[in-house]
Amino acid sequence: MVTAGTGVILLASSGLCDVTLVRDGNPESVIVLEKKPTRSAQMGAFELQHHIKLITGAELPIVRGEAPADAKTVIRIGGENQSIKEEASVIRFKGNTILLTGGDTADYEEVDYRKQATFPPVNYHWKGSLFAVYDFLEDYCGVHFYGMDPLDTTYKKRSTLTVKEKDRYFVSKMDAFRDMFDDDYPAAHLIKNSRREHDLWKLRWRSSVTYGKVNHNTYSIYFAHWGKAKDPNLARAFKEKRHELFARGYEGKASSCGSFLESNYPGDANLPPQLCYTNPGTIDYYAAETLTYFRGGNVIGGWENMRGRIPTDKTLLPRFPGKPYFYPYEGNDTGAFCQCADCRKLAGETFSNTKFRFVSEIARKTAAADPAHPGVATLAYGSTLAYPDGFTFPEHVSVELCLVVYGWWHPAVYKKNLENYEKWVRGMKGKGPLTLWLYIYGPQHDAKYHFGGYKTFPQFYPWKMGEYMKRFAEDGLRGAFFECKMPRNFLETYVAAKLAYDSSLDPEKIIDGYFTDYYGDAGPVMKQFYREIEQTVWSGSICPKEWLKNPDTVTGPKGPIRPWWTTSLWSREVNWTLGSPERMRHFGGLIEKAQALVKTPEEKERLKRFIDIAWKPAVEGRREYDLYLKQKEIPPRVLGFSRIPDAAGGDPEKIDWSKAVKTEKWTDCNGNDNGSTAAVFAAADSKYLYLKFEEQRKPWLDQGLWTENVEFFFTADGKHPLYHFACGPKKEGVPTGYLYQLINDDLRQNPYDFQCRTVSIPADTSWTLLMAFPLNRLPLQNNTMMLDFFRMRHDGKKWDVSCWQPTYSVSGGKGMDSYGRMYLYPITVQEDQLKLLWRGSGTDIVKDPAASNGFAAVQDGNRSWYLSYPIPKEFPKDRFKVIIRYRLEAEKADYVTCGAHDWKAKKSVFSKKIPASEVNGKEYRDIEIGSASFTPDMSIYIGSVYTDGKWLKNSKDKHYLDFIRFEPAQ
Ligand SMILES: [Zn+2]
C-alpha cells in the first residue's frame, strides 16, 4: 500500500493513485536497473523504454544503481527478488517507485537491444522481471502484442501516460513450459519479419521452458553403440557395437531414419529406425544418460548437444528450485517400432504399452538413484497418443500429448480424441505432469501436404482454441507447446498463448479486445467473419455424409484414418463446401463493409494484409475450383491406337507418320482457342512409344531450355510418381527428365533418364521434334497411362502456353487436376476397375488361381447386373469388339446373359446368351459378347443364370469375371 509522505497523493475514493510516467510528451519517470542487472531485467528496461516512446514519443532514461535525486517517479526493473523462488512476475507500487521484478536466472550478460543473440533465451532461463514489464505494458499501459510484426502491436498514442496503482504477484500455472514454433516462418509470411522480430515475438508471448519439454532425442545411443558416426565430433562417442539395443526387423531394409542419422551412417541399409524397448541394456543406457544430465553434465548426441560440439561438462538441462526434473526421451519420427517378440507381445493394438513401459522403467531407475527423483518426459504422439490400457504409470514420468486440435471439428475425431484425452487425465492423476503439443494449423497445411497445393478457404477458430485451453488448464495440464501457422492462424495461437500464461483470462474478452484494437470500427465486422467460419466448421454441416455414419470410426476424404493424426481432412471438396458460392458472396460483402469502416493508416494496412493472406487466396481458390468442376464435366482428351510391327527398332525417323494418330486441337490451359498449331502424332510397337511434335511457327534457337520447349507429363493414375520430360528446339539439345515422388508428406524431385532418342528439326516456319521413348521407362499399366503435352514459351515478360488437355491450373511437380489418357489397344479392364454393387455380399473380388492375374470379380447367382463396367469419361471413340474372360459355377443352368446397356437412351446396346455348357467349370473361356462404339453413359454388365427359360436365383451359383478386353473392330 502507498503510505503518506511519499510524494504521491492518495485518492480518497479508491485508495489508489494515478502515477504519471510521461506528461505532455516529457518524461516524468526514469527507468532504474541494479548496478549488476540480470539479462531479463536489462531486456525489460529496453522493452519498456521502446514501447513508452511508441505511445508518447518520450524516451525515458535508463540508469543503473541509484535513481537520480530529482526523479519524480522511479521505475525499478529487477532486484528485491532474493525471496522469489519461482518464475513470478511482480509489480509493486511503493512511494514514488514502481517495482517491476520477478524470478530471474542469475545471468548478467550484457543485452544489446539490436542483437537478438544477446536476448535472454526462451529455454531453461527464468525471465520474471521481463514478464513483469510485459504484464505492466499490457495491463497498465494498454499495449497488446498480437503478432510478430511491429504493426501487430497495438496501443493508443497519447502525450501523457498515466497508470493506475495496482500491486500484482503472478505465476503461470503452466510452469513446465510455454513455447511456440511457427512452421510457416518465414516462407508463408508476406511481410518478411527479421529474426530479431521473431525472437521478440516469442518473449512477448511469455515463452519459457523450465522442465518437461520433449522432442525427438534418440541419437547418442547410435553414436555410442551402433557404429562410428561420420561426423568426427560424434564419432568420438563410439564405445562398442551393441546392436541388441536397437529395433529388430529392419535389417537390410534401408529404413527411413531421418536425415540426421542417415547422413552419419551413409549407405547403411541395416540402420534401425527405432530402439528395442524391452532390452534391459537400452533401459540402462537411458537411465545413465538421464543421470548424467541431472548431475550437470551432458552427452555427445544427447539433448541440446545433438552435433556433439559442446563440452560434456557443460550443464544443458539445469535443475530449477522447487521444480521436478525430467530428461526428454522420444524416438525417431517414424512409426517403425521394434519387431522383436518381447516388444511385439507388449504392444497390443498400438505400441503405447511397449513405449510407456520403456520410459517408465527408465524413470524408476533414475528416480531410485537420487533423492531428488529425476524422471523422464516423453511424447504421446501419432500411434502412441492412445492411452496405454492396462498400465499404471509411476510418478516420475511426464507425458506431452500431441493433439491435432484444428481437426477437432470432425465429430468422430473430437469424440475419439476427447475420450482418449480423458483417459490420460484420469490415468496420470497424482502422477507426473501432463503437458501439450498442439497443432494450430488450417487447411493450408492439408492442401500443401495431401491435396496438390490448392489455394484454400481459411479455417478460423479462436473461440474453440479458448475453450480447449480453458479445459486443459482446468484439468491441471502444466505446459503447452504450439506448432502453429502464424500468418493465417495467429489469432488462434495468440489466444492459446495468452491462456497458457494466465488461464484465468476470459477468451471472449481477449478476442473482443483483439478485433477492436486491430481494426477499430471494422472490428465487429471482422469478428463476425471469424465467428461464422468457426461456427460453420464446428457445426458439422460441411462434413460429407459418410463421415457422420459411425461416431467411433474416423473417416476422411481418402477413407478410414486413425483418429490420432488427422492432418488430411481438408480435401478440396470439403474446403469448398465451406467456401460455397453463397458464403463467398456473403464474406466478400463483409470484407467490403470492413474496408469502408477502417480509419487509421494502421487499421487499413492490417485489413489489407488480412485480405492478402487469407481472403485473396480464397477468392482465387474458389475460381480455380469452379474451373476444376467445369473441366470434370468435359471428357478428357484420349489417344488410342494399335501397335505397329517392330520394324523401326527405336528410330523415330523410320516411322510412317501418315498412319499415326494425331492429337485434337491444342488450346490454352483453360481450354480456350489461342491459335495454337501444335500437335503430337503417336505410334507404338512392342518396345517403344514414338511421338512426333509438330508446330507451324519458327522456333527460337537463342533461348534456354526452360523458356522455349515442349514439356510432357506422364503418370499411371494421376497421382505420384509423376514423370516430367522437357526438350528444346536446338538440334544439339539434350532432353531433360525429372521424377517427382511424394514420400511421408514430403515432395522429392530427382533427375530421371527417359532414355529417349530425339531428333529436332527446326525450320524457318516450323519445328518438328521426333522422339522414341522405351515403354519400360514410362508409367504404363495395363497398356494405358495418363499424360499431357505442353508447348511452353517465355518472351522475357510472360508465358505463352498451349496444351493438349486443358489443366485449368498448372502446378507442375505437385500434380495437376486433369490429364489426357493414352491407350495401346487392346484395352484390358481388370476386376479392380469394375463396379461391384453390394461388395462383400452380392459381389466381391476373390483370389482365383485360374484367373490371368490371380484375382477375379465374382457375382452371386441371385444377383443380376451387380457386376458391371461403367464406360469411363476418357474412353476412346473407336468401335470395339468386347471379349470377356469368364467362367460359371452353377448347379443347374442352361445359359447366362450379359451385354452392354445405354442408360441415357434407356436401351440395350447388345446382349448375349452364353450356353452354360461352354463356361461352366473351373476354366476361363474368352467369349466375344458384341461390338459397339461406347459412350460414358454405357455399361458392360453380367446378367443372370437361366434355367428352363427362367432366372433361377440361386446364391450358390457364381459368375467369375477375370477381365474385359476391348479389341478394335474392323
Ligand atoms: Zn524389441
Side-chain angles (χ1 to χ4, degrees):
M1 265 322 290
V2 175
T3 50
T6 59
V8 178
I9 300 156
L10 282 165
L11 289 178
S13 58
S14 66
L16 297 176
C17 298
D18 286 349
V19 181
T20 301
L21 308 181
V22 175
R23 190 182 302 280
D24 300 327
N26 298 309
E28 277 201 358
S29 53
V30 56
I31 297 169
V32 180
L33 287 165
E34 289 185 292
K35 258 194 185 138
K36 192 182 150 199
T38 60
R39 254 213 262 196
S40 159
Q42 293 175 59
M43 190 67 194
F46 285 128
E47 283 284 73
L48 186 67
Q49 183 187 48
H50 173 73
H51 288 97
I52 288 181
K53 190 173 179 185
L54 285 180
I55 298 167
T56 65
E59 186 167 294
L60 303 189
I62 299 175
V63 299
R64 289 191 182 188
E66 292 305 310
D70 60 344
K72 272 193 177 171
T73 299
V74 173
I75 308 170
R76 278 198 175 277
I77 300 181
E80 296 185 39
N81 54 358
Q82 293 80 2
S83 61
I84 300 172
K85 299 294 180 213
E86 51 197 343
E87 198 182 26
S89 66
V90 179
I91 298 174
R92 205 183 303 142
F93 290 73
K94 197 170 69 182
N96 71 335
T97 300
I98 304 170
L99 176 68
L100 307 177
T101 191
D104 284 350
T105 290
D107 172 357
Y108 306 98
E109 292 290 317
E110 202 65 22
V111 171
D112 181 339
Y113 194 46
R114 292 161 304 178
K115 294 179 183 163
Q116 72 272 12
T118 68
F119 294 176
V122 165
N123 288 347
Y124 312 120
H125 190 112
W126 278 0
K127 297 168 281 289
S129 299
L130 174 60
F131 293 169
V133 167
Y134 290 138
D135 292 354
F136 183 75
L137 281 169
E138 285 190 341
D139 300 342
Y140 295 67
C141 305
V143 177
H144 295 284
F145 308 105
Y146 290 117
M148 206 180 283
D149 191 71
L151 196 69
D152 295 327
T153 299
T154 66
Y155 48 86
K156 207 165 86 199
K157 278 197 177 141
R158 62 254 199 212
S159 56
T160 296
L161 174 61
T162 303
V163 298
K164 287 230 180 304
E165 182 191 330
K166 185 177 69 178
D167 285 356
R168 170 185 161 99
Y169 183 100
F170 177 79
V171 189
S172 174
K173 285 180 183 157
M174 287 210 174
D175 64 337
F177 55 85
R178 303 175 305 275
D179 194 13
M180 48 232 117
F181 171 71
D182 179 14
D183 250 359
D184 277 348
Y185 175 83
H189 289 243
L190 296 181
I191 305 300
K192 297 297 171 203
N193 291 111
S194 65
R195 181 45 72 175
R196 180 179 175 274
E197 284 163 343
H198 173 276
D199 290 2
L200 282 171
W201 159 64
K202 291 184 58 155
L203 292 172
R204 288 168 182 169
W205 285 19
R206 321 293 205 275
S207 291
S208 197
V209 176
T210 298
Y211 65 88
K213 182 141 182 287
V214 186
N215 211 327
H216 304 288
N217 183 37
T218 42
Y219 305 116
S220 70
I221 193 168
Y222 287 81
F223 308 138
H225 295 305
W226 180 258
K228 272 205 169 189
K230 193 180 169 196
D231 181 333
N233 281 314
L234 299 171
R236 290 181 299 144
F238 183 68
K239 292 193 177 84
E240 56 170 329
K241 282 193 179 176
R242 293 184 63 193
H243 287 189
E244 74 279 10
L245 307 181
F246 298 86
R248 243 66 57 78
Y250 299 94
E251 295 77 10
K253 291 199 172 157
S255 307
S256 170
C257 300
S259 57
F260 177 56
L261 281 178
E262 285 166 14
S263 64
N264 272 296
Y265 300 96
D268 184 349
N270 296 322
L271 193 64
Q274 297 280 344
L275 308 182
C276 178
Y277 284 168
T278 49
N279 190 298
T282 319
I283 294 162
D284 287 343
Y285 180 91
Y286 275 98
E289 186 162 312
T290 302
L291 288 169
T292 302
Y293 272 78
F294 178 69
R295 288 166 183 159
N298 75 76
V299 170
I300 291 174
W303 188 247
E304 302 244 305
N305 195 14
M306 222 168 111
R307 297 184 187 278
R309 294 187 186 149
I310 298 168
T312 52
D313 58 357
K314 194 175 175 201
T315 301
L316 298 179
L317 190 57
R319 295 157 69 171
F320 284 85
K323 299 296 173 192
Y325 190 92
F326 300 99
Y327 185 70
Y329 175 85
E330 180 61 29
N332 279 331
D333 197 357
T334 77
F337 294 111
C338 181
Q339 296 298 309
C340 83
D342 287 342
C343 283
R344 278 223 312 264
K345 196 170 70 194
L346 272 176
E349 205 177 307
T350 71
F351 216 77
S352 288
N353 281 315
T354 316
K355 191 244 179 104
F356 292 110
R357 184 189 158 279
F358 169 70
V359 291
S360 296
E361 290 302 316
I362 302 169
R364 279 201 184 91
K365 287 216 149 142
T366 54
D370 192 289
H373 304 311
V376 180
T378 193
L379 299 182
Y381 167 57
S383 56
T384 64
L385 177 59
Y387 184 75
D389 281 316
F391 178 87
T392 310
F393 275 97
E395 256 177 67
H396 307 291
V397 173
S398 175
V399 179
E400 189 171 340
L401 306 176
C402 301
L403 304 177
V404 186
V405 284
Y406 82 107
W408 283 15
W409 56 276
H410 185 316
V413 170
Y414 181 68
K415 179 175 184 286
K416 298 296 282 182
N417 272 276
L418 212 68
E419 284 169 4
N420 185 49
Y421 165 80
E422 283 168 351
K423 276 189 193 172
W424 275 106
V425 172
R426 276 198 305 274
M428 295 290 277
K429 212 173 181 104
K431 305 280 174 58
L434 266 185
T435 60
L436 297 160
W437 181 321
L438 303 183
Y439 299 89
I440 306 182
Y441 288 179
Q444 67 272 32
H445 176 89
D446 301 34
K448 183 173 171 188
Y449 290 97
H450 298 279
F451 301 104
Y454 73 88
K455 295 190 184 92
T456 56
F457 188 87
Q459 176 192 9
F460 296 130
Y461 49 103
W463 292 273
K464 280 287 161 191
M465 212 54 238
E467 179 192 317
Y468 299 154
M469 285 302 295
K470 278 291 210 192
R471 166 97 200 240
F472 298 143
E474 275 163 28
D475 289 332
L477 275 80
R478 300 289 288 274
F481 171 66
F482 310 118
E483 190 169 337
C484 57
K485 305 268 179 191
M486 272 296 276
R488 282 237 197 144
N489 292 109
F490 74 94
L491 181 56
E492 289 76 11
T493 315
Y494 176 74
V495 170
K498 284 298 275 183
L499 288 164
Y501 183 61
D502 183 355
S503 61
S504 73
L505 295 176
D506 178 356
E508 286 281 347
K509 281 191 186 150
I510 298 172
I511 298 165
D512 285 350
Y514 160 75
F515 283 110
T516 308
D517 293 344
Y518 212 73
Y519 293 117
D521 288 349
V525 176
M526 293 306 290
K527 183 180 159 185
Q528 187 189 349
F529 194 108
Y530 272 65
R531 187 116 222 175
E532 288 185 12
I533 289 177
E534 178 176 308
Q535 283 173 345
T536 307
V537 172
W538 259 263
S539 71
S541 67
I542 61 163
C543 282
K545 270 191 207 124
E546 54 283 13
W547 292 15
L548 302 170
K549 270 187 193 155
N550 184 348
D552 287 309
T553 305
V554 176
T555 304
K558 294 174 184 171
I561 49 171
R562 271 199 321 233
W564 318 132
W565 191 250
T566 52
T567 59
S568 59
L569 300 177
W570 286 107
S571 68
R572 224 172 168 180
E573 286 71 17
V574 172
N575 192 235
W576 295 111
T577 304
L578 171 63
S580 67
E582 298 72 39
R583 282 197 201 98
M584 287 302 293
R585 273 194 296 280
H586 171 65
F587 287 118
L590 292 182
I591 292 285
E592 278 176 23
K593 255 193 206 170
Q595 281 172 320
L597 287 167
V598 283
K599 285 201 180 70
T600 67
E602 290 84 5
E603 289 164 11
K604 285 179 184 165
E605 177 61 18
R606 288 181 194 126
L607 182 63
K608 183 186 169 295
R609 289 184 187 181
F610 174 84
I611 291 169
D612 289 346
I613 287 163
W615 181 243
K616 268 189 191 159
V619 171
E620 287 165 20
R622 181 72 229 183
R623 188 178 49 78
E624 289 178 6
Y625 185 64
D626 286 340
L627 281 168
Y628 167 73
L629 291 179
K630 196 175 96 183
Q631 62 88 8
K632 268 176 69 170
E633 289 170 11
I634 303 166
R637 308 266 197 259
V638 183
L639 275 179
F641 48 97
S642 297
R643 294 170 198 248
I644 53 173
D646 287 337
D651 182 351
E653 292 183 279
K654 287 189 183 159
I655 299 297
D656 178 359
W657 291 104
S658 67
K659 289 185 180 152
V661 294
K662 184 186 173 186
T663 54
E664 301 94 319
K665 189 167 171 49
W666 291 26
T667 65
D668 71 8
C669 286
N670 290 323
N672 304 313
D673 187 352
N674 63 351
S676 173
T677 55
V680 160
F681 297 76
D685 58 24
S686 74
K687 293 197 180 69
Y688 294 92
L689 171 68
Y690 302 93
L691 298 177
K692 178 172 88 160
F693 168 81
E694 204 173 68
E695 187 189 39
Q696 307 310 316
R697 182 166 69 160
K698 184 181 170 64
W700 295 346
L701 296 172
D702 56 347
Q703 293 288 310
L705 171 64
W706 297 109
T707 48
E708 173 75 345
N709 69 10
V710 290
E711 293 185 43
F712 300 165
F713 287 86
F714 306 95
T715 153
D717 50 9
K719 295 180 209 144
H720 290 89
L722 184 61
Y723 298 71
H724 178 193
F725 171 89
C727 192
K730 288 175 196 167
K731 267 190 165 167
E732 67 286 4
V734 178
T736 297
Y738 289 104
L739 179 66
Y740 303 93
Q741 287 168 289
L742 197 60
I743 299 168
N744 296 337
D745 281 16
D746 188 18
L747 183 71
R748 304 191 186 171
Q749 176 183 2
N750 291 307
Y752 183 77
D753 185 0
F754 282 91
Q755 297 170 15
C756 177
R757 183 163 168 184
T758 57
V759 179
S760 180
I761 308 162
D764 276 351
T765 57
S766 71
W767 175 29
T768 303
L769 179 68
L770 305 176
M771 293 152 275
F773 291 85
L775 287 172
N776 62 13
R777 301 299 291 165
L778 294 171
L780 208 63
Q781 277 177 11
N782 282 332
N783 288 328
T784 178
M785 65 179 165
M786 300 174 89
L787 72 173
D788 203 358
F789 307 118
F790 293 85
R791 172 74 171 98
M792 313 278 288
R793 170 177 277 188
H794 196 267
D795 63 3
K797 286 187 192 118
K798 60 179 182 10
W799 284 105
D800 172 15
V801 180
S802 303
C803 58
W804 173 48
Q805 165 71 38
T807 58
Y808 303 93
S809 71
V810 180
S811 53
K814 280 181 180 166
M816 295 174 291
D817 287 325
S818 63
Y819 293 92
R821 188 175 272 284
M822 174 183 288
Y823 290 98
L824 298 184
Y825 299 154
I827 299 168
T828 303
V829 174
Q830 288 289 357
E831 58 286 325
D832 56 352
Q833 291 161 268
L834 301 177
K835 182 175 172 187
L836 293 113
L837 208 60
W838 288 23
R839 184 169 171 184
S841 56
T843 62
D844 216 340
I845 290 178
V846 295
K847 278 189 184 168
D848 184 354
S852 57
N853 64 348
F855 290 92
V858 63
Q859 175 184 290
D860 289 357
N862 61 341
R863 309 285 178 205
S864 184
W865 294 50
Y866 275 41
L867 194 58
S868 66
Y869 176 60
I871 302 297
K873 278 188 301 184
E874 71 274 18
F875 202 79
K877 287 167 189 64
D878 294 319
R879 188 174 174 81
F880 291 100
K881 194 161 76 180
V882 181
I883 290 148
I884 60 170
R885 184 164 289 183
Y886 172 87
R887 70 183 181 88
L888 176 71
E889 283 186 15
E891 292 174 336
K892 191 165 171 273
D894 295 336
Y895 62 89
V896 292
T897 57
C898 61
H901 189 79
D902 188 330
W903 296 98
K904 197 176 179 187
K906 294 181 184 156
K907 65 177 191 191
S908 174
V909 182
F910 57 72
S911 65
K912 171 96 178 171
K913 290 178 185 174
I914 308 170
S917 59
E918 283 183 24
V919 289
N920 214 349
K922 296 281 180 196
E923 261 177 50
Y924 283 95
R925 298 287 297 274
D926 284 1
I927 310 287
E928 188 183 329
I929 62 169
S931 296
S933 300
F934 293 94
T935 70
D937 301 309
M938 298 177 185
S939 289
I940 311 283
Y941 64 89
I942 298 295
S944 332
V945 182
Y946 278 83
T947 310
D948 302 330
K950 271 193 280 187
W951 175 17
L952 192 75
K953 293 187 184 180
N954 183 351
S955 66
K956 285 180 189 155
D957 293 349
K958 307 280 178 200
H959 303 264
Y960 289 88
L961 182 59
D962 183 354
F963 59 69
I964 305 172
R965 194 168 67 223
F966 296 84
E967 291 180 1
Q970 301 314 317

